[in-house]
Amino acid sequence: MKQKRFFLREDEIPSQWYNIQADMPVKPQPMLNPATRQAVKEEDLYPVFARELCRQELDTEHRWFDIPDEVREQYTYYRPTPLVRAYGLEKELDTPAHIYFKNESVSPVGSHKLNSALAQAYYCKKEGVKNVTTETGAGQWGTALSYAARLFGLEAAVYQVRISYEQKPYRRSMMQVFGAQVTPSPSMSTRAGKDILTRTPHHQGSLGTAISEAVELARMTPDCKYTLGSVMSHVALHQTVIGLEAEKQMEMAGEYPDVVIACFGGGSNFGGISFPFMRHVFSGERKTRFVAAEPVACPKLTRGKFGYDFGDEAGYTPLMPMFTLGHDFTPANIHAGGLRYHGAGVIVSQLLKDGYMEAVDIGQHDSFAAGCMFARCEGIIPAPESCHAIAATVAEALKCRESGESKVLLFNLSGHGLVDMSAYDQYIAGNL
Ligand SMILES: *Cc1c(COP(=O)(O)O)cnc(C)c1O
């Protein structure tokens, strides 16, 4: 069977991001200032994030945000990304389902994260910021930010979760190649890090500890802003380029997805591919299902509680209304480092509460089994995170085989796994 890929022209890269908050039937509850319990205002976020990002974060009115030319120019280095019909996988599964995937692994850093890193670095640069800081788990976000910072002439300081720093040395080297300064977290370089290490001397680190340290650095350093690779609403906003392109490409394929699937860490690649399609569900034109695939080891959507919680270990962030496992939750040390965050973004949390999306949890072994099957059929080795989306897609395709329905399935391939081969080694050796 001939491969079918759907390419858009460069001038078809979206010129605007889609703000789903404008269309949500029930808007997310406000973030709260933990001291006053008052709703957080744009200005309250200025010490931490670039101003334009604060505006985007809280905007529930404007449906579209223009993508700055400087950002769109950088998008041309890898966008539009291909939409691919996964004939090989369909055949392997002997399913009547039509399976498509959006290939975000073609970005220079190998994942969707660059879509937001470029935007965040640009807005920081534009308001005169000199340094950006952030946390990274598996290293995907840190890598994307390090590269974006370099493009816009900023210095980047990255706190990497200690266990990943030790177990994923190549991502650390990638960040260093792009010129970033990388510190394992918890570290002794911040008050938050010192407090954590005093309580738990051998703390392996978590996204929560690394966020506390990065936020503290941003607050204490002049001309320095913090950036975040997921969870926040402005990050999901930037990621909607994925779904907006996919919408046009599905049209080229002459089909429309019945089910849209993505893996879920904080919700940015899920929101990115889903939100543009979801707007047609809100308007009553479509009945698409949306499935978020999270790991069994970090099940905030399937087993977390909805409520106000902090975004970080030390409690520096505003309180956010979200599905959460608790801000002091330290997940098991799974390979899908990008899915180990304790909470879900406020938009996706509200959407799950209101029944616009579903969640499934996937075991680590099942995720790698699906990832290997995909690699053998389609020739791309997926990121351990993306394997969760593939496993959920395979489950949907097998349901179609049983029922005989030929549904159209679309999943987001959020990244490739070429820097994660040690994880595959362990799977192959039976050591997971
Ligand atoms: C970070 C990451 C994820 C998870 O983050 P989301 O914000 O939920 O998308 C998924 N896949 C890859 C490849 C990642 O790097």
Side-chain angles (χ1 to χ4, degrees):
M1 185 75 79
K2 236 171 83 181
Q3 178 63 280
K4 247 193 204 157
R5 294 189 289 171
F6 300 91
F7 286 108
L8 297 171
R9 296 185 316 269
E10 187 181 296
D11 63 0
E12 290 175 292
I13 294 174
S15 55
Q16 296 179 309
W17 294 300
Y18 171 58
N19 178 20
I20 194 173
Q21 298 195 73
D23 288 332
M24 286 169 72
V26 184
K27 312 260 187 218
Q29 292 167 40
M31 292 192 276
L32 300 180
N33 178 322
T36 62
R37 289 256 156 192
Q38 297 294 305
V40 163
K41 292 192 291 292
E42 220 177 284
E43 307 84 86
D44 299 334
L45 299 174
Y46 287 172
V48 178
F49 296 111
R51 289 181 176 214
E52 179 60 22
L53 298 170
C54 303
R55 187 167 83 83
Q56 294 175 353
E57 183 65 29
L58 299 181
D59 190 303
T60 57
E61 281 169 30
H62 299 96
R63 187 171 289 135
W64 299 101
F65 277 90
D66 287 345
I67 302 177
D69 287 343
E70 292 85 342
V71 174
R72 221 163 155 261
E73 226 164 68
Q74 292 301 333
Y75 280 169
T76 61
Y77 280 72
Y78 63 103
R79 310 208 68 86
T81 63
L83 178 85
V84 185
R85 172 91 182 257
Y87 282 122
L89 186 60
E90 288 175 21
K91 187 158 168 255
E92 175 71 21
L93 295 169
D94 188 24
T95 175
H98 293 188
I99 304 176
Y100 292 83
F101 65 92
K102 180 73 167 155
N103 188 358
E104 291 296 307
S105 81
V106 300
S107 95
V109 297
S111 80
H112 70 288
K113 294 267 182 5
L114 196 56
N115 298 331
S116 185
L118 290 169
Q120 294 188 46
Y122 167 77
Y123 288 122
C124 285
K125 177 69 182 180
K126 201 175 144 214
E127 74 172 58
V129 167
K130 303 271 187 300
N131 311 282
V132 284
T133 171
T134 196
E135 81 297 327
T136 195
Q140 294 268 27
W141 168 246
T143 308
L145 185 75
S146 303
Y147 175 55
R150 186 58 29 185
L151 287 175
F152 288 105
L154 303 164
E155 296 296 325
V158 181
Y159 286 94
Q160 183 171 20
V161 176
R162 183 172 292 276
I163 187 113
S164 313
Y165 183 91
E166 285 159 9
Q167 291 184 349
K168 308 227 168 183
Y170 292 138
R171 283 250 209 262
R172 171 179 44 73
S173 0
M174 286 167 80
M175 292 185 262
Q176 289 167 335
V177 164
F178 290 132
Q181 182 200 319
V182 189
T183 309
S185 170
S187 77
M188 296 299 278
S189 71
T190 62
R191 209 197 66 205
K194 278 183 203 151
D195 285 352
I196 293 161
L197 285 174
T198 308
R199 268 182 282 132
T200 318
H202 300 290
H203 201 296
Q204 62 176 15
S206 67
L207 282 174
T209 69
I211 295 173
S212 297
E213 292 203 88
V215 170
E216 185 179 321
L217 185 70
R219 280 184 173 169
M220 299 301 175
T221 315
D223 294 331
C224 179
K225 294 290 175 196
Y226 171 65
T227 65
L228 198 47
S230 181
V231 184
M232 303 300 284
S233 302
H234 65 260
V235 183
L237 172 77
H238 305 150
Q239 294 296 352
T240 57
V241 288
I242 303 173
L244 292 167
E245 285 179 8
E247 209 185 345
K248 290 189 199 160
Q249 289 163 309
M250 289 301 304
E251 211 176 293
M252 289 167 75
E255 304 220 71
Y256 196 90
D258 296 299
V259 191
V260 177
I261 301 158
C263 67
F264 194 99
S268 79
N269 93 92
F270 173 83
I273 192 152
S274 297
F275 293 170
F277 289 100
M278 208 179 275
R279 76 189 200 274
H280 305 298
V281 173
F282 295 152
S283 69
E285 297 156 76
R286 296 284 183 180
K287 290 203 166 61
T288 317
R289 283 173 55 217
F290 300 91
V291 179
E294 65 180 6
V296 167
C298 193
K300 60 225 150 210
L301 299 176
T302 53
R303 262 166 283 170
K305 276 206 298 239
F306 183 86
Y308 274 99
D309 194 12
F310 290 108
D312 69 323
E313 173 103 10
Y316 287 161
T317 68
L319 286 165
M320 299 192 283
M322 60 184 185
F323 278 91
T324 174
L325 294 162
H327 65 277
D328 53 359
F329 177 80
T330 303
N333 179 26
I334 53 167
H335 289 290
L339 307 184
R340 292 172 82 242
Y341 186 66
H342 68 272
V346 301
I347 295 176
V348 275
S349 291
Q350 189 65 46
L351 293 170
L352 181 67
K353 202 158 162 264
D354 295 338
Y356 286 103
M357 56 177 276
E358 309 158 34
V360 292
D361 58 349
I362 308 280
Q364 180 161 241
H365 195 276
D366 292 346
S367 73
F368 277 107
C372 288
M373 179 198 281
F374 176 81
R376 286 165 195 167
C377 298
E378 303 293 334
I380 303 171
I381 296 179
E385 291 84 2
S386 314
C387 289
H388 292 73
I390 297 169
T393 305
V394 167
E396 289 290 334
L398 292 177
K399 271 195 259 168
C400 289
R401 182 166 82 187
E402 260 160 46
S403 66
E405 282 175 287
S406 86
K407 286 192 182 155
V408 178
L409 313 178
L410 167 65
F411 77 87
N412 191 41
L413 184 71
S414 54
H416 69 65
L418 294 177
V419 194
D420 302 282
M421 294 318 291
S422 66
Y424 279 92
D425 271 352
Q426 288 181 33
Y427 168 72
I428 291 161
N431 289 339
L432 284 187

